[in-house]
Amino acid sequence: MDCGACAAKVRGAVERLPGVEDVDVALMAERLRLTLNESQTSPERIEKAVRGVGFGIAPKGAKPEKPKGGFVLPDGAFPGAEDTPEPEEEGPAQPEEAAAPSWHRTSKGRLVIGTGVLLATAWTSRLLFPAEFAHWAFVLATLIGLVPVARRAFAMTRAGMPFTIEMLMTIAAGGALVIGEPEEAALVVFLFAVGELLEGVSAGKARDSIRALSKLVPKTARLEVGGKTLEVPAEKLRVGQVVQVRPGDRVPCDGEVIEGTSGVDESPVTGESVPSLKEPGAEVFAGSINAEALLRVRVTKAAEDNTIARIVRLVAEAESARAPTERFIDRFSRVYMPAVVGAALLVAVAPPLAFGLEWGEWIYRALALLLIGCPCALVISVPASITSALSTGARNGLLMKGGAVIEAAARTTHVAFDKTGTLTHGKPRVTDVAALTGDADDMLSLAAGVESGASHPLGQAICAEADRRGVHAAATGGRALPGKGAEASIDGATVCVGSPRLAAERGALTDGLRSRVAALEAEGKTVVIVLRDDVPQGLVALRDEPRADAADAVAQLRGLGISSVMLTGDNARTAQAIADGLGIEHRAELMPEDKVTAIRDLTTDARVMMIGDGINDAPALAAAHVGVAMGSGTDVALETADAAILRNRVTDAAGQIRLARAAMANIRQNIAIALGLKAVFLVTTVLGITGLWIAILADTGATVLVTMNALRLLFFRPAGPAEVTAPFTDPTSDATRDSASAPT
């Protein structure tokens, strides 16, 4: 399938059959899906209809039929397809798929070579033999080259689709022979074959970017079985099995590290350039690259459900969500084709009948007009750009579910952020450690000793900070003080870590200490006080800190002319402190339903993108024009919202909008190219300035230009300049901790 017209042919062939509904033909994925009532139409009849218009069709996983590039149907489309025996579980690795044949080995390539040889032979005969012989040589070259085109044209007509490029081509070339222009006819047939070949090559390059995603996962895996290591097909791994990943190998599955510590390059999956430190308990993604040491990984997801498979599936599925612009052009082309045929007929008969002009000349102009009017370039102008944008986004950790989402994202004027887990890390961190007596580290060690083994997020944050500083005190007799804090015995003294209210109850909250607590709480921080035998030793302040790139993300959006607002259920004081630090508007103390109301208020006069964690923000994500979920490849992130940011980088919100705007600009360029060339050559053709061979060159040339222009999106960089050039120099910085990475 080379262009949107191909998809339209298949769609038209099957949607007329009884019992067929919801027909979806994906051009780039070369996939046909439909809902079928088998009591009215059998699957075999669907196959026959598709083959009848010149395409191969095969169940998913089966070898494609010729012509090359047959359709792939979902599992279960044919009852017998699932009866095929599967290879042994621990069998040898399956061979890789055969590479796509070179252009000269395809049917279209052979047609180009054949018609080219015939045309050259005819031109040679014109020089060596009498004119009459050369005339018939051109006729023969035309007929031989036109036969496969005419066969497809009449097959389409039988399927109820008379207005196709093949039919226009057949009429134009046949008409040229009738009016005595065999040289032009032969040249037109050759140029048409070249154009078809170039369209196929261009479409193949667009598909390669999607195929490259699935090739990220290795074909084989080193499976541990009974104390031995066997090499088995990665696609046969089952949940719970254990595999070894050597340094330099790609991870063959989504899994959990159970032994080993190593830096893992996740850039093939998330686009994040800094390797992530993986230790026992850490999650790894299929397709990522182990950089340093041997890892033993327990499989947590089957091959069909791993991160790469879901991304590929999402990109393929996104083709079905056609942009409003694409749907409009599709409707327009259905009216446009009959109108062009009618105009050509008018050009052929009106001047001779009304003004007595020469029939041959005006029929010639009408035939050229038919070729110029083919809408292939116009039809493919949108899906080619959308597919390239989806592929570029997937490679950069930006997933959008189809053209409708891209078009909506490009029109975004306001971005609403959830706070916790989106603009912030989602868990508290120690921001201030202040000792009233002695050393701050000693005071922190007391607090960590009391909180050792705590399940409360504040206690865990204090222990994490103590671990980072390498300080910890041994405690005994620890117990919780519900709603107030915790206490334990350290070196014979009772140490309490609790709220200012606990300190006040024990008479330890002096006026000076109270003012320091108030100052920290005014910054949106939570303060705990450390007491030893009811004597204050110091205080620890904690806050869910903004991500390192949150302020930059807000600034980038502002630079794009987009306003930002933070929606949070947190208290007004904390929200104010976070918002002021980021330079963003905020609305605080919102319940989930309040967030929906806030989004609806914004959407009355703005185009809103909502970015949240994809779980508790689901209602707000659905209410926005575009809902974007944060999360590194989680099911929620990929399925809940319209789009997902895999790298958990807030700046990717601006990157997603940049990519969407670039895609829509590319679409507008493609439409201008397609319509502009046609407008120029329609006029020159009617005026007799350009002829048949220029007409077909303009048609196929426009299709190739549109496709090649769309492929430029594959090289687009969604990241801002600062993100591309900024080095990661401090492995302990917020940015590095945020991506769970480590220096290599």
Side-chain angles (χ1 to χ4, degrees):
M1 298 176 67
D2 302 327
C3 69
C6 297
K9 292 168 188 173
V10 175
R11 187 183 302 113
V14 299
E15 67 183 1
R16 290 176 170 82
L17 298 176
V20 173
E21 297 178 351
D22 306 323
V23 178
D24 171 32
V25 182
L27 171 64
M28 292 303 169
E30 295 183 300
R31 183 199 69 237
L32 167 65
R33 177 186 295 153
L34 51 86
T35 301
L36 179 64
N37 183 342
E38 294 192 43
S39 64
Q40 299 184 49
T41 298
S42 66
E44 290 75 16
R45 191 174 175 189
I46 298 292
E47 290 183 82
K48 184 177 180 182
V50 173
R51 293 190 185 104
V53 291
F55 294 92
I57 182 169
K60 181 179 180 180
K63 185 178 179 180
E65 290 182 351
K66 291 187 177 182
K68 202 69 176 178
F71 280 79
V72 177
L73 294 186
D75 288 324
F78 299 93
E82 298 177 359
D83 298 333
T84 306
E86 296 191 356
E88 292 296 321
E89 184 66 30
E90 317 306 348
Q94 299 299 311
E96 292 194 20
E97 296 179 8
S102 302
W103 69 268
H104 58 275
R105 294 188 176 182
T106 64
S107 58
K108 292 183 178 181
R110 289 194 294 269
L111 180 61
V112 167
I113 294 172
T115 53
V117 169
L118 288 169
L119 184 62
T121 301
W123 278 103
T124 303
S125 67
R126 184 176 183 180
L127 299 175
L128 301 177
F129 300 102
E132 185 67 20
F133 184 90
H135 172 86
W136 289 108
F138 280 114
V139 171
L140 182 63
T142 301
L143 293 176
I144 292 176
L146 195 59
V147 166
V149 179
R151 287 176 57 190
R152 295 205 304 269
F154 288 111
M156 299 295 173
T157 302
R158 287 196 300 272
M161 293 174 285
F163 300 112
T164 62
I165 179 58
E166 287 83 3
M167 180 58 74
L168 300 185
M169 179 68 206
T170 301
I171 294 172
L177 290 179
V178 170
I179 63 175
E181 295 287 349
E183 293 180 34
E184 288 251 11
L187 184 58
V188 164
V189 169
F190 172 70
L191 290 175
F192 177 77
V194 171
E196 289 270 281
L197 177 64
L198 290 176
E199 288 175 0
V201 171
S202 299
K205 288 188 177 296
R207 291 188 184 107
D208 285 343
S209 61
I210 298 177
R211 294 188 185 117
L213 293 173
S214 59
K215 292 179 182 178
L216 291 174
V217 180
K219 298 292 183 184
T220 61
R222 292 171 55 83
L223 177 66
E224 293 185 1
V225 180
K228 298 181 180 180
T229 303
L230 302 179
E231 189 168 281
V232 301
E235 63 184 15
K236 291 300 176 184
L237 292 176
R238 295 197 304 265
V239 174
Q241 292 181 324
V242 176
V243 297
Q244 293 182 1
V245 186
R246 299 170 297 187
D249 286 352
R250 287 187 182 271
V251 179
C253 60
D254 278 13
E256 178 185 349
V257 176
I258 59 174
E259 185 179 325
T261 300
S262 179
V264 175
D265 178 6
E266 296 182 336
S267 59
V269 182
T270 67
E272 183 57 63
S273 59
V274 180
S276 298
L277 180 65
K278 299 299 181 181
E279 299 174 308
E283 182 183 18
V284 291
F285 303 130
S288 54
I289 303 168
N290 183 18
E292 298 169 341
L294 179 71
L295 294 176
R296 294 179 67 234
V297 176
R298 180 183 291 111
V299 180
T300 57
K301 291 182 181 176
E304 62 270 19
D305 294 323
N306 68 40
T307 301
I308 294 293
R310 293 202 309 273
I311 292 174
V312 171
R313 191 159 56 240
L314 178 65
V315 173
E317 293 296 327
E319 261 198 274
S320 303
R322 298 195 295 168
T325 302
E326 182 181 356
R327 291 196 294 268
F328 170 76
I329 288 177
D330 191 34
R331 293 193 301 269
F332 173 74
S333 64
R334 294 180 185 179
V335 178
Y336 170 82
M337 279 291 285
V340 167
V341 172
L345 184 62
L346 194 63
V347 167
V349 301
L353 290 178
F355 306 105
L357 300 178
E358 185 179 347
W359 279 95
E361 178 182 348
W362 286 95
I363 290 176
Y364 178 87
R365 295 184 186 184
L367 296 176
L369 185 64
L370 279 180
L371 295 181
I372 287 288
C374 177
C376 284
L378 185 62
V379 171
I380 201 176
S381 60
V382 179
S385 298
I386 294 297
T387 301
S388 294
L390 291 173
S391 179
T392 295
R395 290 201 316 273
N396 288 275
L398 308 173
L399 298 182
M400 290 181 278
K401 296 183 179 179
V405 176
I406 290 177
E407 191 162 331
R411 300 204 304 268
T412 297
T413 60
H414 287 68
V415 173
F417 290 100
D418 171 50
K419 180 181 78 69
T420 306
T422 301
L423 288 175
T424 67
H425 294 280
K427 55 185 178 181
R429 295 186 178 189
V430 173
T431 59
D432 302 86
V433 178
L436 300 178
T437 60
D439 183 70
D441 283 353
D442 291 339
M443 186 272 297
L444 182 63
S445 71
L446 294 176
V450 174
E451 296 288 2
S452 179
S455 60
H456 193 282
L458 296 180
Q460 292 176 343
I462 290 172
C463 290
E465 180 65 16
D467 289 341
R468 191 182 71 81
R469 299 191 183 197
V471 296
H472 217 291
T476 58
R479 69 187 186 95
L481 304 173
K484 299 177 183 179
E487 68 178 13
S489 178
I490 299 178
D491 295 333
T494 300
V495 179
C496 295
V497 178
S499 65
R501 186 177 65 171
L502 176 64
E505 289 178 358
R506 299 195 176 187
L509 190 62
T510 64
D511 291 340
L513 187 55
R514 182 180 284 107
S515 63
R516 295 184 67 172
V517 169
L520 289 169
E521 288 181 340
E523 297 175 10
K525 299 174 181 177
T526 300
V527 180
V528 296
I529 299 175
V530 181
L531 307 175
R532 182 162 58 186
D533 291 335
D534 293 340
V535 176
Q537 303 298 300
L539 51 83
V540 180
L542 306 95
R543 187 171 70 177
D544 182 9
E545 287 289 272
R547 295 181 187 271
D549 63 340
D552 186 26
V554 173
Q556 288 189 32
L557 289 170
R558 191 180 301 115
L560 294 172
I562 295 172
S563 300
S564 302
V565 61
M566 181 179 75
L567 307 179
T568 179
D570 211 339
N571 65 75
R573 184 175 57 196
T574 300
Q576 179 73 50
I578 296 291
D580 288 348
L582 299 178
I584 188 175
E585 296 180 13
H586 74 282
R587 300 185 189 181
E589 301 180 359
L590 300 178
M591 298 295 288
E593 57 270 24
D594 298 326
K595 290 186 179 181
V596 173
T597 302
I599 291 294
R600 287 176 177 164
D601 289 343
L602 288 172
T603 56
T604 55
D605 56 359
R607 304 292 299 184
V608 180
M609 173 184 286
M610 171 68 189
I611 303 177
D613 62 15
I615 302 173
N616 57 359
D617 293 309
L621 293 174
H625 292 108
V626 181
V628 180
M630 301 283 285
S632 299
T634 63
D635 290 329
V636 171
L638 291 176
E639 295 171 11
T640 301
D642 302 310
I645 294 174
L646 295 187
R647 296 185 293 192
N648 272 338
R649 284 171 36 170
V650 192
T651 49
D652 281 348
Q656 204 149 39
I657 293 172
R658 286 193 197 94
L659 178 59
R661 289 182 177 181
M664 294 310 298
N666 192 275
I667 287 171
R668 288 190 289 271
Q669 293 165 7
N670 281 349
I671 293 174
I673 290 171
L675 292 180
L677 282 175
K678 290 189 182 301
V680 170
F681 285 100
L682 280 172
V683 173
T684 57
T685 298
V686 172
L687 296 178
I689 299 173
T690 53
L692 281 177
W693 70 273
I694 290 291
I696 193 62
L697 196 62
D699 172 61
T700 57
T703 303
V704 172
L705 278 176
V706 161
T707 306
M708 298 305 291
N709 185 51
L711 292 179
R712 291 191 308 112
L713 285 172
L714 295 176
F715 306 100
F716 182 78
R717 298 293 299 272
E723 295 173 86
V724 174
T725 59
F728 289 83
T729 55
D730 180 7
T732 63
S733 68
D734 286 344
T736 309
R737 289 198 304 268
D738 185 31
S739 59
S741 58
T744 59

